[in-house]
Structure formats: C-alpha cells, structure tokens
C-alpha cells in the first residue's frame, strides 16, 4: 500500500477560523484561505491581474491587453447550495462575478439554468438534460461527483483537454499539475485527459488521535503509541473510574461504524489501518503489479475479530454500528468516552464542547497508534476537489483556462480585480464575519482553491510558527486570525503538526477510475453484504468465521470480475506511465 507523499494530498476540511463557515456547509468545495509563492505574486502595477499573455495565434478570438475584445460567450449551469448567498439584489444570472469577468477578461457568461445541490437536484437535472438531448452548457463542474464525471465523459459530448492544458494553461496552473500528477488519474481515458481536475484545498480527512489528558494523568497512564497500548488505556478508561463518579459508565473509544468509509468524525480507519487494511480500499499487491481489495484480505478478519473483543469488553459503545460521527462525538464531548479519532480541525468543532460540558476536562492530540508490524495507516480522500468538463462543441476552450487562471490568482494572492475581501465587504457583498470571498465565487463554475494542496499547510507550519511574515496579503491575514485565536494556535496548529509528523500513514485508494461494468450491476449488492458481515462480526451476532463465507460470496458474486476490471484500468493508466 503506498503512502501519501508531497503531491499526493487531498483537502484540509477546515482551515483556520475564517474557513469554519465555509467547510460546515453542504458544499465540500468551499474554499480556505490561500497563499502564494513569492514567484507567483503579481508584478508592480499589475496587482490582482491574472497571468494572462497576448500570444498571437494562441487564443481562439481576438485577445488584447488581457481581455477578449469583443467579448466572447460562455454558457454555464449553476448549482445552488444551501450556503449560496446573493447580495445587493443580484441573482444567479446577473451578479458582480460575471460583471467582473466581462469587464476585465471579456468573457460574457450566460446561465442556462440553475438547480439546487440538495437531494442531488443539480445532478439529476444535468443527467436529464444529457438524456433528453437538451442543449448542454459549454462548461460543467461536477463538484467532485465521480459518478457524474464518469457519465459525462462516457457520453462522448465533452472535449479531450490533453493538448489544451499544454497550450492554454498558465505556468502557475501547470506547476500545480506537475507537482500533483495523480490529479489526472480519475479523468483520464485511453491516455486522454477528459476533464480539468481542480485540487482539493489541503490534506483531507486524515485522522489524529485525541485523548482525555486529564484521565491519563489521573490514572497515571501514558498516551498509547501501539494498538496493544491502546487496548490497555481503553481497559483503564472503562474499569478504573476515570471520571471519579464511582459508576462504571465510561467507554474507552468514541467511534462511529455507521459510515466507515465516508465520515471523518469519530473515524475508525486508523484502527483498521493498524492491521494493514482499510475499508473499501484498493491497495497494491506485494509485487506492485496489481491492485487488491483490502476488505477481503486476512488482515481484515483479524481487525474485525479484535473489534469484536473490544465490543464485548465495553471498550466501544454497543451503539457504534448505528452511530454517525456527530452522535459518536457526543460520547466524547459529554465526558463518557476517553478517545476519539478525527481530522486536524476537531479542536475547532466539536471538541471544545467537552470543556463546556465537563469543567476541568482536557484533551490532547497524539499520533495514531501503530500495529504489531510497527506501521500505521489511515484513510484520506481523493486529491480531486472538483472536475470541469468542456463541451466538445465549445469554440473557446482557451477561455476556460483564462477563467482557471483567475481562480488560481484568487487562491494564491487572495484577491483579483474588485473580488478581494475588503472590496466586497465595502460594497455589501459579504456578511460581517464571513471573512473570505468564497460567496461570490460560488456564482460561477469553478472553485477558488486552485493551489498546490500542500503549500498552504507548509506556510502555517514553517512560516507562522517561526514568526515569519506571510507570502501574500491573504496568507498574512490568515496568520493574524490564527494567532489571535487559541483554538487555532493551541488546537488546530498543534493537530496539524502531529498529523504532518505522521504523514507517511496517509493512504489513498489506488483505484480512481470510472465505475466498472460489474460495479454498476453488482457493486451495491456486494457493498451491502460487506458492511452487514462486518457489523455482525463486530456486534457478535455472527461468528468470526463468517468472514470466510463472505469472501467466497464476494468473489463469486462479481468481486473477482470487478478485481479484473479494476486491474485492466490500473495496467492501462498507471503501470504504463
């Protein structure tokens, strides 16, 4: 199984105080504060302008002084999330973002239709448009929806962008792709790049371990570093009355097993990872020439057997298979559980509730425990935060890359034209305290976090903690906000340090290709069987040996065929590179 290296990352789900509102919305594409390298800042007299050049013969329409003249059209569709906010009487069709693009870039943006993201409304309307033969937009952002991206690519109605990236992308955008080539894996078909992948905005979902420090101190225990030590600490937390109420009413670990592959609060993946497997994960075989499915490996049986014993001993709640992350976290914040796993933003929410509910209670962040082999593993999500497809009939693909460079400039400089935070707030476009320009960017089709996912993290850990200034006004603003907030400097930054020190434990599934033919017909059935078998074993309603029965059923029920299809993609798209 490969580990996440620099350039193999995905999003920092909450980035410092000003990003909490964005990340708590139903749109996972909400941006964080972004920074810039010194080499990417704009030259004097050109502050806030994208890196556009007037190269004769490159653009598909007359382009002079940084804009198309006359303006060229671009038809889009707009997803409306619960957090989409329009100001000053503006609408999805007429707003400051589109006015700025027309005035400064000569791009005349027209909205064909809008649809809510809630209950997959946007996705459903888009697929209906595709099947009915209705006019499709010039560009579409699938917002990271892998299934939707695959369906659109398979329709044959969208453009091969391979040569266009080389021809039209700015040097800054190219640099992001050069440093993160894995971005292209999920959107490449037969060697052709069929969508413009937008990187997620920081390492996403990697869990740390948070422990009740006051319980450790009271029981004279050290924080666990191995899975065996974790068991010993959980034993003490359950049986040695750590809360001092003379009642046996505590559990060792707050964990959710309802959604083991998707939720990040009360995450169980680091526990599976201590045994060398992860839920729903495709990993390298020992020879590196193929992919294997972790949930059918012998190590998964060992993990499930261990979790079963933890359930029997009361180390984890018997409600864990029915609990989601929020419910499980309440065990910790109410003072009934001593350990919880989750991302680096937990010190913002929900862990501060612990001190409110239990005066004097303290938690501290620690690395995840290693297994008997001395290794640790934990799940992280895909590097792709969004995918932009271009209609093959669109006459101006270069304009899509001009748009992308504006988003790159926003990400790395913090503002462009009149779209910086101060200008927007002065004009009434921002609610007081919102703290970023992500609201108006959401009116368009591309998010404004087009940046090397690791660069922003390095800024906080390498510059801010050393007392050095930010590399851009936007980064300095983020530094100032963090330094004035104890939850940031004493909470999230410490958690980020712990996470980064154990970065090699981060594992991303190595299959990022399209849904295979057999996955389409058998995938739901096999996933349901997999989950139900695991929960029955953990809960004790089926013997551990039931795992072997499941493996045989999985293989004969389509799993072997899926493995074959997955490896056809892996050989063609990864091993050949």
């Amino acid at each position: 199984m490969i580990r996440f290296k620099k350039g193999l990352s995905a999003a920092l789900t909450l980035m410092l105080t000003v990003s909490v509102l964005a990340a708590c919305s139903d749109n996972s594409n909400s941006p964080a504060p972004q920074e810039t390298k010194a080499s990417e800042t704009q030259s004097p007299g050109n502050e806030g302008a994208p890196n556009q050049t007037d190269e004769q013969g490159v653009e598909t329409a007359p382009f002079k002084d940084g804009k198309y003249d006359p303006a060229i059209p671009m038809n889009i569709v707009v997803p409306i999330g619960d957090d989409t906010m329009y100001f000053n009487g503006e609408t999805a069709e007429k707003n400051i973002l589109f006015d700025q693009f027309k005035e400064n870039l000569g791009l005349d943006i027209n909205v064909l239709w809008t649809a809510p993201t809630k209950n997959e409304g946007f996705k459903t309307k888009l697929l209906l448009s595709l099947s009915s033969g209705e006019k499709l937009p010039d560009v579409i952002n699938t917002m990271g929806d892998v299934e939707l991206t695959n369906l659109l690519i398979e329709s044959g109605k969208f453009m091969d962008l391979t040569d266009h990236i080389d021809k039209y992308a700015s040097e800054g955008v190219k640099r992001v792709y050069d440093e993160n080539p894995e971005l292209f894996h999920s959107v490449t078909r037969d060697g052709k790049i069929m969508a413009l992948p937008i990187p997620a905005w920081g390492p996403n979902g990697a869990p740390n371990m948070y422990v009740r420090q006051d319980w450790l101190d009271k029981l004279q225990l050290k924080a666990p570093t191995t899975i065996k030590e974790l068991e010993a600490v959980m034993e003490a937390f359950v049986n040695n009355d750590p809360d001092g109420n003379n009642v046996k009413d505590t559990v060792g670990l707050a964990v959710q097993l309802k959604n083991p592959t998707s939720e990040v609060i009360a995450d169980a993946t680091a526990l599976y990872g201590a045994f060398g497997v992860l839920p729903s994960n495709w990993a390298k075989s020992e020879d590196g020439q193929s992919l294997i499915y972790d949930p059918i490996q012998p190590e998964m049986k060992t993990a499930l057997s261990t979790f079963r014993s933890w359930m029997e001993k009361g180390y984890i709640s018997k409600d864990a298979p029915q609990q989601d992350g929020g419910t499980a976290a309440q065990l910790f914040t109410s003072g009934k559980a001593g350990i919880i796993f989750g991302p680096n933003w937990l010190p913002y929410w929900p862990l501060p509730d612990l001190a409110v509910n239990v005066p004097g209670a303290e938690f501290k962040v620690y690395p995840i425990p290693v297994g008997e082999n001395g290794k640790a593993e934990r799940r992280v999500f895909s590097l792709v935060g969004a995918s932009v497809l271009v209609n093959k009939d669109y006459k101006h693909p270069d304009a899509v890359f001009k748009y992308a460079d504006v988003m790159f400039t926003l990400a790395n400089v913090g503002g462009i034209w009149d779209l910086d935070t101060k200008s927007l707030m002065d004009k009434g476009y921002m609610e007081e305290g919102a703290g970023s320009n992500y609201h108006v960017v959401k009116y368009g089709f591309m998010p404004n976090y087009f940046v090397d996912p690791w660069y922003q993290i390095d800024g906080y850990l390498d510059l801010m903690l050393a007392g050095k200034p930010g590399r851009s006004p936007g980064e300095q603003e983020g530094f100032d906000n963090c330094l004035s907030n104890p939850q940031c400097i004493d909470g999230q930054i410490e958690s980020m340090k712990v996470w980064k020190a154990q970065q090699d434990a981060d594992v991303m599934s190595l299959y990022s290709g399209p849904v295979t033919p057999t996955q389409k017909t058998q995938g739901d059935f096999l996933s349901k069987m997999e989950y139900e078998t695991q929960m029955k074993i953990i809960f004790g309603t089926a013997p551990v040996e039931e795992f072997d029965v499941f493996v045989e059923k999985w293989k004969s029920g389509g799993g072997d065929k899926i493995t074959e299809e997955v490896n056809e993609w892996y050989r063609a798209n990864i091993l050949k590179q």
Side-chain angles (χ1 to χ4, degrees), residues 24 46 119 182 194 340 433 462 514 545:
C24 286
N46 194 34
N119 298 323
E182 292 77 11
M194 300 304 299
I340 190 171
D462 298 340
E545 290 72 26

Side-chain angles (χ1 to χ4, degrees), residues 177-493:
Y177 287 142
D178 288 343
E179 294 177 357
N180 303 277
E182 292 77 11
L183 281 166
F184 293 118
H185 287 176
S186 64
V187 296
T188 300
R189 301 290 183 274
D190 300 322
K192 300 176 180 178
I193 299 171
M194 300 304 299
L196 189 66
I198 312 300
W201 40 273
N204 186 14
N208 288 322
M209 179 174 66
Y210 300 85
V211 186
R212 283 287 298 272
Q213 187 63 41
D214 54 322
W215 285 11
L216 290 176
D217 294 342
K218 177 180 179 180
L219 301 179
Q220 297 184 328
L221 298 171
K222 293 182 179 180
T225 61
T226 69
I227 204 72
K228 289 297 184 184
E229 291 176 0
L230 178 67
E231 290 181 331
V233 169
M234 289 193 295
E235 171 74 20
F237 282 179
V238 169
N239 296 308
N240 293 355
D241 193 26
D243 59 358
N245 67 353
N246 297 315
V247 178
K248 188 177 179 180
D249 60 351
T250 53
V251 296
L253 175 69
V255 63
Q256 69 85 17
L257 297 173
K258 184 177 181 180
N259 304 303
T261 62
S262 57
E263 291 203 43
V264 295
I265 299 177
D267 189 354
T269 62
L271 302 171
Y272 285 95
F275 297 90
V277 289
L278 292 172
S280 301
N281 187 66
W282 289 93
K284 273 187 183 179
S285 61
E286 288 188 9
D287 63 7
Q289 298 303 302
S290 62
L291 299 183
I292 58 175
Y293 192 53
D294 273 354
I296 65 170
Q297 304 309 313
E299 293 84 356
M300 180 60 76
K301 182 178 181 181
T302 304
L304 296 174
S305 177
T306 302
F307 300 160
R308 179 193 184 98
S309 71
W310 293 357
M311 179 77 74
E312 292 170 347
K313 296 173 182 177
Y315 297 170
I316 59 179
S317 169
K318 291 189 179 297
D319 295 326
Q322 288 80 45
Q323 290 177 329
D324 59 18
T327 306
Q330 290 176 8
L331 279 176
F332 189 88
T333 58
S334 67
K336 295 304 180 183
I339 303 169
I340 190 171
F341 290 79
N344 61 65
W345 47 263
L346 258 61
Y348 272 122
W349 181 84
L351 298 193
D353 289 347
L354 173 64
V356 176
N357 297 326
V358 186
E362 298 179 9
F363 67 86
K364 187 175 179 180
V365 62
Y366 290 99
I368 63 173
V370 301
E372 291 184 358
N373 61 0
K375 297 180 180 180
E377 293 178 355
R378 58 190 168 194
R379 177 273 324 273
V380 288
F381 293 116
S382 168
L383 182 62
V384 178
S387 296
V388 174
L389 293 89
V390 182
N391 193 313
K392 69 178 183 180
D393 294 329
Y394 186 47
K395 304 300 183 183
H396 307 290
D398 49 309
V400 179
F401 290 89
K402 304 288 189 191
Y403 193 114
D405 196 43
V406 172
M407 295 300 106
F408 177 86
T409 303
L410 274 171
N412 288 279
V413 177
I416 185 173
W417 307 325
D418 283 335
L419 299 178
D420 62 281
T421 297
K422 184 179 185 305
S423 296
L424 288 168
M425 293 192 73
D426 287 346
K427 293 179 175 67
Y429 284 93
M430 305 300 297
E431 287 190 334
E432 187 67 36
S436 75
N437 55 19
Y438 83 97
H439 283 297
V440 297
V441 172
K442 288 166 69 68
Y443 304 165
F445 67 88
M446 191 180 295
N448 70 327
Y449 47 79
F450 211 132
V451 67
D452 182 337
W454 288 90
Y455 188 73
Q456 53 188 313
I457 306 302
D458 293 342
Y460 282 87
L461 297 184
D462 298 340
L463 297 180
M464 189 191 76
L465 292 182
K468 296 181 180 180
R471 295 160 290 188
S472 72
E475 183 173 61
Q476 186 60 51
E477 181 182 356
F479 286 2
D480 294 340
N481 287 333
C482 181
L483 289 167
S484 65
N485 188 333
Q487 289 180 337
C488 180
I489 191 65
D490 298 327
Q492 186 175 14
I493 295 298

